[in-house]
Amino acid sequence: PGKKPVDTYPVEELRSRYVAALLYFVLEGVGWNDGANFLTAGHICDWNKPPSSQRDTIGIICSVDTVVEKVNLNGNRLKGAIPTEIQYFTELRELNLGNNGIDEGIPTHLSAMQDLMVLDLANNAFTGTIPQAIASLPNLVQLILRGNMLSGSIPSFHNNSGTIANIDMVSCEIK
């Protein structure tokens, strides 16, 4: 009783729930500091915890028209690699996965999120180079990668139509 049949959900909401659930499982959600109401029966826009004096809202944050526009899982003990499916958050404006244990390289599939304005992957365990595809995000204004084990050179941001206001790569081996 009280359960909604899957075929009554709008396709976009099902896709968003799927991607968020993948984030939870692939990034070892059982071990997170705060589960942020992930995987609950409520609307995906309720998969968060409100702000406190110590932190911003953590989890999934939606626009007034219930579109996922921000994912904030900063400092939440995430481990693993960012799943490819995150690119299906097509209207995401901010992705904050900083201060965790995410590893492997920075995934090129993040470049599919054309509305992304803020990308914070600081203080994780990323290795390799910064993909040129990240530099082509047309609305990116803030790129925070400090505290990772990145190497190589800074990609060219000349195709970016937005204005990069902040690129933070402190403690990286970037040239």
Side-chain angles (χ1 to χ4, degrees):
K3 291 189 179 186
K4 189 175 177 181
V6 171
D7 62 354
T8 62
Y9 284 95
V11 171
E12 187 56 41
E13 185 179 342
L14 282 174
R15 182 179 300 121
S16 295
R17 289 175 75 87
Y18 170 72
V19 173
L22 273 175
L23 281 174
Y24 181 84
F25 288 114
V26 171
L27 297 174
E28 300 185 21
V30 172
W32 292 359
N33 289 333
D34 191 327
N37 294 317
F38 269 62
L39 308 182
T40 56
H43 193 279
I44 188 171
C45 296
D46 296 327
W47 289 12
N48 62 56
K49 289 283 180 79
S52 69
S53 60
Q54 289 85 30
R55 62 169 168 78
D56 292 335
T57 299
I58 191 161
I60 304 288
I61 297 95
C62 296
S63 64
V64 292
D65 54 349
T66 66
V67 173
V68 175
E69 67 177 15
K70 180 177 178 182
V71 174
N72 179 10
L73 294 170
N74 186 300
N76 209 22
R77 291 185 23 200
L78 280 60
K79 294 179 182 174
I82 300 171
T84 305
E85 290 82 0
I86 198 168
Q87 68 186 319
Y88 298 123
F89 282 146
T90 56
E91 296 183 50
L92 199 68
R93 295 180 173 276
E94 183 174 337
L95 179 60
N96 185 343
L97 303 177
N99 302 300
N100 285 293
I102 303 171
D103 56 16
E104 296 188 16
I106 295 174
T108 58
H109 56 265
L110 295 177
S111 65
M113 297 186 293
Q114 295 292 298
D115 289 342
L116 200 61
M117 298 173 70
V118 177
L119 178 58
D120 186 345
L121 303 175
N123 302 312
N124 277 287
F126 289 108
T127 57
T129 60
I130 302 167
Q132 179 62 46
I134 298 299
S136 68
L137 286 166
N139 296 300
L140 192 65
V141 294
Q142 193 171 31
L143 177 62
I144 306 168
L145 301 172
R146 74 176 167 270
N148 284 290
M149 297 171 276
L150 298 169
S151 58
S153 57
I154 297 172
S156 171
F157 286 87
H158 68 274
N159 290 334
N160 181 295
S161 61
T163 303
I164 301 291
N166 182 17
I167 300 175
D168 183 347
M169 297 182 198
V170 174
S171 301
C172 293
E173 302 280 328
I174 303 292
K175 299 175 193 169

